[in-house]
Amino acid sequence: MRILEEVSRTLNEYLLVPNLTTADCTPAAVDLSAPLVRHRVGDPSAIRIAVPLTSAIMGAVSSPRLAIALAQCGGLSFIHQNQPIESQAAMVAAVKRHKAGFRFSDTNIKPSATLGELTTLLDAAERDFAVVTDDGSAHGTFLGLISTRDFHPQRHGTGDSVESRMRRAAGLVTAPPTVSLSEANTLIWDHRLDVLPVVAGDGRLESIVLRRDYELHKRFHNESIDAEKRFRVGAGVNTRDYSQRIPALVEAGADLLCLDSSDGYSVWQHDTLRYVRETYGDRVRVGAGNVVDGRAFRYLADAGADFVKVGIGGGSICITRDQKGIGRGQASALIDVVAERDAYAQRTGEYVPVCCDGGLLSDYHMAIAFALGADFVMLGRYFARFDESPSPLVRVGGQLFKEYWGEGSNRARNVSRYEHGDSQQLVFEEGVDGYVPYAGSLYDNVATTIAKLKATMISCGSTALRAFHDNAVLVPVSHQSYLQNTAEVRLRDRPSDPGQ
Ligand code: RVP
């Protein structure tokens, strides 16, 4: 038995002390770009992202829609592996197929649906139009469009059919899948369209181009794209079916893989990493984890991991610490692993990036993680709250929430992430199934997060993540000091509303 001297600390337990802010520290000068994969010290990483945020390998978080939105903003998603190989590969392929500016139609309806059902759909999705397809799916036969301008609840019965008010395909401007984005935008402006459906030769809906995205597209200068200008996307893999799953994901075009396990310090991860290196050399990039100390980092780095993910038990939906008594405060884990990453780089000349995963509940937690040395972060709860996440939007007591569940919950039953020996079933839960407050669009929220991260770095006198880590001055906070920071305590002293 060995007891570590340091107590286990969370990200909450640190604050940053400002450094001198010089005139060159402006938001425009701050570079948040980060390496994602192993590289020789001094050489660039083969995969870098402009915004160091990745979305968690979870069914409630990383869908093709979210992956595209996040890649547009400069980050990267990992499509979850708790699904059959074919459907995961199809999700990866969908992201790679998607051309910038072309989006999946996410608000679709059948012609036989009622206007009442349509209104419910539009309200929940906060959209003002729906695409009509024969089966109400995103890739059904395109039959027409219907918007809130085509009907009015007082003029048309809620029981009337969508078909009775829709604008039919025959009278609409559409484009073939070969259309380029600039041609699509010309059609939009020439015909004063809000939406241009892209329809394949057999009549099936492929995607849509929105006038509003034209402006949006102009906002993005940092898109995560590959050499062929396709969006980048990652995918989770496991140590059970890797010899079938990995080839399928590579074939589908995945840019980066990541072993998805709650405890990555295992011989199974070693064997899977060796398989990738022996089969593909450096052509396929794969991260490993999760770990909470330097020993485990070294083990996985030696086995060939392209990056190592840190965090056990800190996830917002995670009960691993309660169930198994394993884990470590995220700050302590990060400090230990980052020290080993830097020592490893000095010793071997190889820099293996570190990802901080789980328990990043507010934007300032991300800043603390970067100051402690994380190269990039992985977020579940953060992204689950947005329109683009795949989980249902629900109204509870007048407030909107998105459903969010852990991969170790009964709902997900992700056996390969929570394997315990050779068991093929989830014997006990390590995650919960709950709700997170709905927070709107990913684009707006990521922009705010980036602005806050830049503001923190400016206060700390740094314009790049590595310099931020090197120069950051952090202070552990006492329990009293932490309490004083929480909004709850500050609000308690506020005068009550005059009307109450
Ligand atoms: P959070 O961002 O705090 O919601 O945490 C997300 C992370 O939690 C994931 O990236 C994963 O490492 C971990 N996770 C996912 N499911 C579970 C669970 O069921 N215990 N934990």
Side-chain angles (χ1 to χ4, degrees):
M1 191 267 287
R2 187 161 68 96
I3 296 186
L4 300 179
E5 278 173 22
E6 282 288 309
V7 294
S8 168
R9 290 189 184 277
T10 71
L11 298 169
N12 266 337
E13 293 178 70
Y14 290 90
L15 281 176
L16 282 152
V17 178
N19 290 332
L20 176 68
T21 301
T22 52
D24 55 337
C25 286
T26 61
V30 176
D31 175 8
L32 290 174
S33 69
L36 287 190
V37 296
R38 169 197 285 265
H39 57 93
R40 296 289 308 164
V41 173
D43 288 351
S45 173
I47 306 181
R48 274 187 87 81
I49 46 175
V51 170
L53 312 182
T54 63
S55 69
I57 311 172
M58 297 174 74
V61 179
S62 294
S63 61
R65 183 178 173 203
L66 188 129
I68 290 165
L70 183 53
Q72 282 178 311
C73 295
L76 187 111
S77 285
F78 286 88
I79 301 292
H80 75 98
Q81 54 91 15
N82 189 25
Q83 58 179 323
I85 294 172
E86 304 71 45
S87 61
Q88 189 189 17
M91 285 191 181
V92 167
V95 179
K96 298 306 288 183
R97 231 186 11 247
H98 194 82
K99 292 189 280 179
F102 294 75
R103 53 159 75 202
F104 294 100
S105 173
D106 55 13
T107 316
N108 311 293
I109 196 151
K110 285 190 214 178
S112 58
T114 63
L115 295 179
E117 287 166 336
L118 174 67
T119 306
T120 309
L121 176 76
L122 295 180
D123 283 352
E126 294 191 337
R127 287 274 185 306
D128 57 6
F129 78 91
V131 181
V132 188
T133 56
D134 61 340
D135 57 1
S137 77
H139 296 299
T141 301
F142 175 64
L143 299 178
L145 293 172
I146 185 160
S147 82
T148 48
R149 277 184 278 172
D150 296 317
F151 68 100
H152 194 282
Q154 272 144 21
R155 282 185 157 274
H156 309 103
T158 49
D160 290 0
S161 69
V162 164
E163 188 162 25
S164 67
R165 297 300 307 162
M166 72 186 197
R167 282 167 288 138
R168 290 171 193 279
L172 295 171
V173 179
T174 61
T178 49
V179 72
S180 71
L181 185 58
S182 70
E183 288 163 351
N185 282 322
T186 304
L187 284 171
I188 284 180
W189 292 107
D190 285 355
H191 297 274
R192 300 169 194 223
L193 308 174
D194 289 325
V195 47
L196 174 71
V198 177
V199 181
D202 61 1
R204 299 184 87 74
L205 181 69
E206 185 110 331
S207 58
I208 53 176
V209 184
L210 300 182
R211 186 217 297 257
R212 147 176 122 70
D213 280 356
Y214 181 76
E215 273 91 39
L216 211 55
H217 189 59
K218 296 249 168 281
R219 263 169 51 187
F220 302 129
H221 313 290
N222 285 329
E223 291 173 330
S224 304
I225 46 176
D226 64 18
E228 291 164 47
K229 294 208 157 65
R230 301 177 303 173
F231 287 123
R232 284 205 188 278
V233 65
V237 294
N238 64 67
T239 55
R240 288 171 183 260
D241 61 14
Y242 59 88
S243 59
Q244 292 97 51
R245 192 173 291 269
I246 290 179
L249 293 170
V250 169
E251 172 71 26
D255 294 274
L256 184 56
L257 306 174
C258 182
L259 278 163
D260 177 29
S261 169
S262 62
D263 171 11
Y265 192 12
S266 76
V267 70
W268 303 307
Q269 290 227 347
H270 176 279
D271 293 349
T272 310
L273 292 167
R274 293 317 309 157
Y275 161 85
V276 173
R277 288 291 160 257
E278 278 155 23
T279 315
Y280 298 101
D282 280 346
R283 280 179 297 122
V284 170
R285 300 305 202 122
V286 58
N290 285 10
V291 304
V292 288
D293 70 2
R295 292 174 307 167
F297 171 91
R298 207 164 46 241
Y299 180 77
L300 295 176
D302 280 342
D306 276 299
F307 65 88
V308 174
K309 200 144 69 69
V310 177
I312 297 181
S316 59
I317 30 52
C318 188
I319 52 172
T320 293
R321 292 180 192 166
D322 296 344
Q323 295 285 57
K324 287 171 54 184
I326 67 158
R328 194 173 187 188
Q330 192 65 3
S332 301
L334 202 51
I335 291 165
D336 193 347
V337 172
V338 160
E340 183 56 36
R341 174 199 63 195
D342 292 344
Y344 191 87
Q346 267 209 323
R347 207 170 52 246
T348 64
E350 293 271 308
Y351 187 87
V352 180
V354 164
C355 170
C356 174
D357 173 26
L360 297 145
L361 299 183
S362 74
D363 293 327
Y364 99 85
H365 288 153
M366 297 182 210
I368 301 288
F370 290 123
L372 292 177
D375 291 283
F376 61 102
V377 295
M378 178 171 276
L379 310 150
R381 180 185 188 279
Y382 175 84
F383 286 114
R385 301 171 305 147
F386 303 152
D387 287 323
E388 292 78 2
S389 81
S391 74
L393 183 68
V394 290
R395 192 178 287 277
V396 183
Q399 270 192 301
L400 288 171
F401 291 85
K402 296 273 283 192
E403 293 182 9
Y404 180 42
W405 60 92
E407 287 297 306
S409 65
N410 266 334
R411 179 162 178 180
R413 305 198 69 80
N414 187 345
V415 179
S416 52
R417 185 173 208 274
Y418 293 91
E419 60 191 339
H420 305 122
D422 58 4
S423 145
Q424 290 290 327
Q425 51 177 327
L426 203 64
V427 186
F428 55 89
E429 284 186 289
E430 289 190 46
V432 294
D433 185 358
Y435 301 99
V436 285
Y438 168 66
S441 122
L442 178 146
Y443 301 101
D444 298 341
N445 281 280
V446 167
T448 306
T449 299
I450 292 172
K452 287 193 205 171
L453 284 174
K454 288 186 170 185
T456 307
M457 287 171 63
I458 288 170
S459 283
C460 295
S462 302
T463 53
L465 287 179
R466 185 68 218 190
F468 184 39
H469 170 52
D470 289 343
N471 302 329
V473 179
L474 292 122
V475 60
V477 295
S478 69
H479 186 59
Q480 280 302 318
S481 158
Y482 173 71
L483 282 182
Q484 198 189 9
N485 279 338
T486 61
E488 201 191 344
V489 171
R490 272 184 269 131
L491 288 176
R492 213 186 292 151
D493 296 334
R494 254 191 13 198
S496 48
D497 287 344
Q500 285 181 351

